[in-house]
Amino acid sequence: MAREVGSRNIRCNAIAPGFIITDMTNKLPEDVRKQWIEQIPLKRAGTAEDVANTALFLASDLSSYISGQVISVCGAMKT
């Protein structure tokens, strides 16, 4: 997609959230949440604000030369 629309000065990126604290993840048992967090190198779950900050960065001119990327917001927990 990024190659197709790049000539029109359109950037195309994606955000791939990792373990983010939400109403859905709060319904998981405490021991399951702790197991997830132990696997995250930053030793914490992400927040909606972490994802929003990534979206804000991608929407800003600070990322004007970034296109065709998947940005993982995962605390370094890539498999």
Side-chain angles (χ1 to χ4, degrees), residues 4-74:
E4 180 70 28
V5 299
S7 64
R8 288 173 263 178
N9 200 31
I10 299 171
R11 294 176 285 138
C12 182
N13 296 294
I15 299 171
F19 190 79
I20 305 297
I21 297 169
T22 64
D23 289 343
M24 183 177 74
T25 57
N26 282 335
K27 291 180 182 177
L28 294 170
E30 182 67 25
D31 61 321
V32 172
R33 282 184 285 173
K34 284 182 179 180
Q35 286 175 346
W36 270 100
I37 291 170
E38 282 301 312
Q39 296 175 30
I40 300 169
L42 291 182
K43 299 298 180 207
R44 70 171 182 90
T47 65
E49 185 175 9
D50 292 321
V51 178
N53 286 338
T54 304
L56 184 60
F57 168 72
L58 289 172
S60 77
D61 286 338
L62 294 172
S63 67
S64 65
Y65 199 60
I66 298 172
S67 191
Q69 302 304 304
V70 176
I71 309 295
S72 296
V73 182
C74 64

